[in-house]
């Protein structure tokens, strides 16, 4: 037992060094403008200030709008993804026919499609349908890749639901739909949480669709707004890091609370598909 | 408790089961329609566009002429296209290499049993899920020529994003930093599948750590390693955001990977037709690679 603790110390060190960029972002975001350029660099902000957060991150209307847009898009994407992917994953876990493997293969392959390959034609297609510069268009675009991923990720969870329970429920008069909602979905809750978190975070951090499909500044997600501000901020690294930290905040929060689910989900999805 | 089911109820339940199976097919319909509309249709549309003459006027009017292979001839005859293709291969190759080595090193370390291991593993994934805009900004700051932390640590004064070769190193570094924890998770799953008794037997036979790694870990990890490399290749080859956000493809086109090249053709020059040629190539490479991969897998299974 005694020999395991040095490994923990080494592990903490490795993790800290690996995540140094994240620390450096937070560190810089709390510095005064003059302190950013101190030599040697301050490893801990000596005179920490929330100025960058007050002025740049939360005091800038363009950024507030971008954050709100991203929230709408990410929540919408999560809802659509869960509603569409969950029943499909269930069906693909339950059905035992040759056609199933073809459909499953399709969903696996779709995940390899580059976002740029979809963003370009979507611009033309969505222009026709009036979906460019709309939340609906951005939600559709984001869900396009989240749904196949969700199906592949969730299927192993539904495979682990014993078929006997579902059949017993049906014999007792449950319809396919109620058996699915009352039995299969609750058992697969960890997978559902993983899927919801991953699709939310994916849409929150998405950049290409936002860039290609939202030229209207009132509809741009925060990622596109931030990319646009990057040059305007010049060497105000503290402001840029503060905004970056705010964009990273939901991701970090989701991770702190849900890391167990996410890691389990990823491992299952990666090894059992 | 024994349950006796009356014969007639059994019959009806069996027919219900058959009907239910059909209902389960219905569960697939939304997903198939959705993927059809948002993935397959755009992809087909893209391929069609690559055979048409499409500029901004045609996007607005929705009417385009077919020009056969003209767009392909145009792109394949351009040195910029091949340069961009080569840059994509260098960027992808470098990123896959660094990602795999770093991911394997992390996996080997975090495979060992110690308190707090699971939390630390999960924390590392933070690098992977961080929005690219955030990590791109952070890396630009770390790589700043005058005040960047990396230069301070190394004692250098390199304007990383200012020169072609160092800009490539910079985007590879930033991409590998995000991907390596994901590679770690995949490889960890592979390591868990290797029986500990093999190592015990090797130790009894006097094999050192390196011999164990070379003779047991590497060969048995091969299938998972191949999958990891393939997945990493596919996701790097199509990466747009990291490169676009860090260098915009510069300096002087030195990091203009194929996705950035295609995006610029479409949205800076409104040449949607030749952009479609570039994005089609973006699909062809991973598909060809996957076919070879699945073939080799099958061969291994048969052997």
């Amino acid at each position: 037992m005694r020999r395991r603790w040095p490994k923990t110390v080494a592990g903490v060190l490795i993790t800290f060094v690996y995540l140094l960029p994240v620390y450096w972002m937070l560190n810089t975001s709390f510095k005064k403008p003059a302190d950013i350029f101190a030599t040697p660099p301050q490893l801990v902000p000596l005179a920490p200030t929330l100025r960058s957060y007050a002025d740049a991150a939360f005091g800038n209307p363009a950024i507030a709008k971008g954050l709100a847009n991203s929230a709408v898009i990410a929540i919408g994407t999560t809802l659509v993804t869960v509603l569409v992917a969950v029943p499909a994953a269930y069906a693909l876990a339950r059905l035992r026919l040759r056609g199933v493997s073809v459909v499953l293969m399709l969903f696996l392959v779709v995940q390899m499609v580059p976002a740029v390959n979809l963003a370009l034609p979507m611009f033309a297609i969505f222009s026709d349908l009036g979906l460019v510069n709309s939340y609906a268009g951005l939600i559709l675009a984001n869900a396009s890749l989240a749904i196949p991923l969700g199906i592949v990720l969730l299927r192993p969870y539904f495979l682990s639901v014993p078929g006997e329970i579902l059949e017993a429920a049906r014999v007792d008069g449950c319809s396919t739909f109620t058996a699915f909602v009352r039995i299969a979905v609750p058992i697969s809750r960890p997978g559902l949480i993983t899927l919801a978190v991953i699709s939310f975070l994916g849409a929150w951090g998405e950049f290409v669709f936002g860039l290609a499909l939202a030229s209207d500044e009132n509809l741009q997600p925060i990622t596109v707004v931030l990319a646009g501000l990057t040059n305007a901020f010049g060497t105000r690294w503290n402001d840029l890091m503060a905004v970056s930290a705010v964009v990273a905040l939901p991701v970090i929060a989701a991770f702190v609370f849900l890391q167990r689910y996410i890691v389990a989900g990823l491992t299952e999805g990666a090894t059992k598909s | 408790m024994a349950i006796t089911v009356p014969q007639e109820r059994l019959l009806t339940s069996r027919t219900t089961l058959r009907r239910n199976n059909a209902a389960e097919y219905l569960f697939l319909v939304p997903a198939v329609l959705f993927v059809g509309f948002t993935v397959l249709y755009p992809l087909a549309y893209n391929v069609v566009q690559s055979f048409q003459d499409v500029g901004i006027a045609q996007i607005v009017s929705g009417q385009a002429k077919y020009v056969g292979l003209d767009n392909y001839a145009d792109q394949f005859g351009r040195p910029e296209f091949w340069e961009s293709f080569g840059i994509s291969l260098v960027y992808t190759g470098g990123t896959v290499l660094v990602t795999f080595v770093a991911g394997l090193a992390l996996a080997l370390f975090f495979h060992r049993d110690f308190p707090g291991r699971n939390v630390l593993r999960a924390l590392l994934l933070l690098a992977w899920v961080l929005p690219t805009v955030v990590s791109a900004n952070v890396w630009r700051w770390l790589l700043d020529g005058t005040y960047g932390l990396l230069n301070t640590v190394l004692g250098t004064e390199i304007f990383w994003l200012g020169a072609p070769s160092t800009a490539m190193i910079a985007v590879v570094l930033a991409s590998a930093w995000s991907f390596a924890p994901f590679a770690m998770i995949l490889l960890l799953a592979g390591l868990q599948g290797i029986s500990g008794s093999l190592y015990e037997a090797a130790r009894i036979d006097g094999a050192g750590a390196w011999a164990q790694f070379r003779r047991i870990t590497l060969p048995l990890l091969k299938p998972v390693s191949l999958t990891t490399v393939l997945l990493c290749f596919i996701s790097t080859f199509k990466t747009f955001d990291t490169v676009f956000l860090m260098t915009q493809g510069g300096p002087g086109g030195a990091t203009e990977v194929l996705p950035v090249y295609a995006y610029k053709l479409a949205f800076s020059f409104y040449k949607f037709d030749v952009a479609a040629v570039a994005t089609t190539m973006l699909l062809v490479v991973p598909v060809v690679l996957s076919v070879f991969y699945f073939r080799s897998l099958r061969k291994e299974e048969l052997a």
Side-chain angles (χ1 to χ4, degrees):
Chain A
M1 275 298 156
R2 245 174 56 219
R3 290 181 53 219
R4 287 162 75 199
W5 284 102
K7 284 181 197 149
T8 303
V9 174
V12 170
L13 268 176
I14 292 173
T15 309
F16 181 77
V17 169
Y18 202 85
L19 294 179
L20 200 64
V22 181
Y23 172 73
W24 206 243
M25 164 180 79
L26 295 171
N27 177 30
T28 308
S29 71
F30 293 118
K31 283 181 183 173
K32 287 188 302 187
D35 292 346
I36 316 169
F37 305 119
T39 38
Q42 297 174 2
L43 297 180
V44 176
L46 295 180
T49 167
L50 290 171
R51 196 29 97 56
S52 290
Y53 287 91
D55 291 354
F58 294 111
N60 184 328
I63 287 166
K65 186 78 190 138
L67 288 169
N69 287 340
S70 282
V72 172
I73 295 162
I75 291 169
T77 303
T78 307
L79 286 176
V80 172
T81 302
V82 168
L83 283 176
V84 176
V86 173
Y90 176 73
L92 286 174
R94 297 275 303 150
L95 297 168
R96 301 260 175 284
L97 283 160
R98 198 186 296 155
V100 171
S101 63
V102 177
V103 178
L104 192 65
M105 197 66 199
L106 170 78
F107 290 130
L108 271 171
V109 170
V110 159
Q111 289 175 71
M112 308 195 309
V113 172
V116 173
N117 281 42
L118 298 180
L120 263 57
M122 272 178 181
F123 177 73
I125 296 166
F126 286 7
S127 296
D128 274 354
L129 300 172
L131 288 170
V132 167
N133 285 321
S134 75
Y135 288 136
L138 288 166
I139 289 169
L140 278 179
N142 277 297
S144 66
L145 294 176
I147 287 171
L149 172 73
I151 292 170
V152 174
L153 196 106
L154 270 181
R155 189 171 158 269
Y157 285 93
F158 286 124
L159 278 176
S160 70
V161 177
E164 294 85 26
I165 300 184
L166 295 164
E167 254 116 64
R170 284 185 196 162
V171 173
D172 288 346
C174 267
S175 70
T176 308
F177 187 73
T178 22
F180 162 68
V181 172
R182 294 263 184 88
I183 296 164
V185 169
I187 293 181
S188 312
R189 226 183 89 203
L192 277 166
I193 295 174
T194 313
L195 171 62
V197 173
I198 287 183
S199 45
F200 181 90
L201 295 183
W204 179 263
E206 201 286 326
F207 177 68
V208 189
F209 292 130
L211 189 68
L213 303 175
S215 51
D216 180 352
E217 283 176 10
N218 284 316
L219 282 156
Q220 281 172 350
I222 184 65
T223 48
V224 177
V225 175
L226 180 53
L229 282 176
T230 300
N231 290 323
F233 277 17
T235 53
R236 282 155 53 202
W237 289 107
N238 52 341
D239 290 354
L240 193 59
M241 289 303 111
V243 183
S244 300
V246 170
V247 176
L249 205 67
V251 180
I252 294 174
F255 241 72
V256 170
F257 290 114
L258 298 167
Q259 42 96 357
R260 213 158 38 92
Y261 290 115
I262 296 173
V263 176
L266 282 175
T267 315
E268 297 259 306
T271 51
K272 287 199 194 147
S273 61
Chain B
M1 191 174 70
I3 301 170
T4 45
V5 183
Q7 191 63 34
E8 50 166 43
R9 192 168 161 199
L10 201 71
L11 279 177
T12 50
S13 77
R14 218 175 256 156
T15 47
T16 331
L17 278 186
R18 206 169 295 140
R19 208 177 328 127
N20 282 342
N21 240 341
E24 277 166 355
Y25 273 104
L26 289 180
F27 279 32
L28 271 177
V29 170
V32 171
L33 285 180
F34 202 98
V35 171
F37 176 68
T38 61
V39 181
L40 302 182
Y41 175 51
L43 282 181
Y45 193 98
N46 203 41
V47 173
V48 170
Q49 266 195 343
S50 72
F51 294 107
Q52 290 177 329
D53 173 28
V54 190
I56 193 75
Q58 286 80 8
I59 288 283
V60 173
S61 70
Q63 314 225 304
K65 263 202 333 256
Y66 280 89
V67 292
L69 289 167
D70 281 9
N71 296 324
Y72 286 87
D74 170 88
Q75 282 303 297
F76 292 170
R78 274 176 200 272
E80 305 99 273
F81 172 80
W82 294 110
E83 262 165 44
S84 178
F85 197 86
I87 288 166
S88 266
L89 289 180
V90 171
Y91 164 70
T92 308
T95 305
V96 170
L97 185 72
V98 180
T99 301
F100 184 77
V101 172
L104 183 60
L106 289 171
L108 286 172
F109 183 85
F110 285 97
H111 180 53
R112 298 190 288 183
D113 193 22
F114 57 82
R117 168 184 82 156
N118 294 340
V119 176
L120 294 175
R121 273 183 195 172
L123 269 177
L124 283 173
L125 271 180
L126 200 56
W128 181 58
V129 290
L130 215 57
T132 319
V133 195
V134 172
S135 45
N137 274 336
V138 174
W139 277 101
R140 284 178 49 242
W141 170 218
L142 289 170
L143 297 169
D144 185 78
T146 326
Y147 299 102
L149 188 65
L150 190 67
N151 276 337
T152 312
V153 170
L154 296 177
T156 50
E157 224 172 88
I158 302 170
F159 282 79
W160 292 91
L161 299 173
S165 59
T166 52
M168 179 55 86
I169 294 172
V171 289
V172 165
L173 199 64
S175 311
W177 181 77
S178 330
F179 284 141
F182 180 65
M184 172 190 77
I185 292 290
L186 293 178
L187 292 167
L188 271 172
L191 287 175
Q192 273 154 14
I194 302 177
S195 157
S197 58
L198 287 173
Y199 292 102
E200 255 164 57
R203 233 171 288 145
I204 290 166
D205 290 346
W210 172 245
Q212 288 176 33
F213 175 72
R214 265 204 52 197
R215 298 289 163 87
I216 302 173
T217 312
L218 274 189
L220 289 178
L221 206 57
K222 200 180 147 200
V224 179
S225 301
L226 283 176
T227 310
T228 308
V229 166
L230 182 80
L231 285 180
C232 186
F233 184 97
I234 289 168
S235 44
T236 312
F237 195 69
K238 67 183 183 185
T239 296
F240 167 82
D241 41 11
T242 308
V243 179
F244 187 81
L245 287 159
M246 282 180 75
T247 65
Q248 305 255 338
T255 57
E256 197 167 287
V257 290
L258 219 44
V260 174
Y261 176 79
Y263 184 87
K264 282 186 176 171
L265 279 182
F267 290 103
S268 306
F269 304 107
Y270 304 111
K271 291 181 181 167
F272 288 92
D273 44 11
V274 284
V277 172
T279 49
T280 304
M281 291 308 292
L282 218 49
L283 267 188
V284 169
V285 174
V287 167
V288 169
L289 209 74
S290 308
V291 169
F292 276 110
Y293 169 71
F294 283 114
R295 269 215 189 139
S296 77
L297 267 193
R298 195 163 297 169
K299 235 178 239 166
E300 238 164 64
E301 266 166 28
L302 289 176

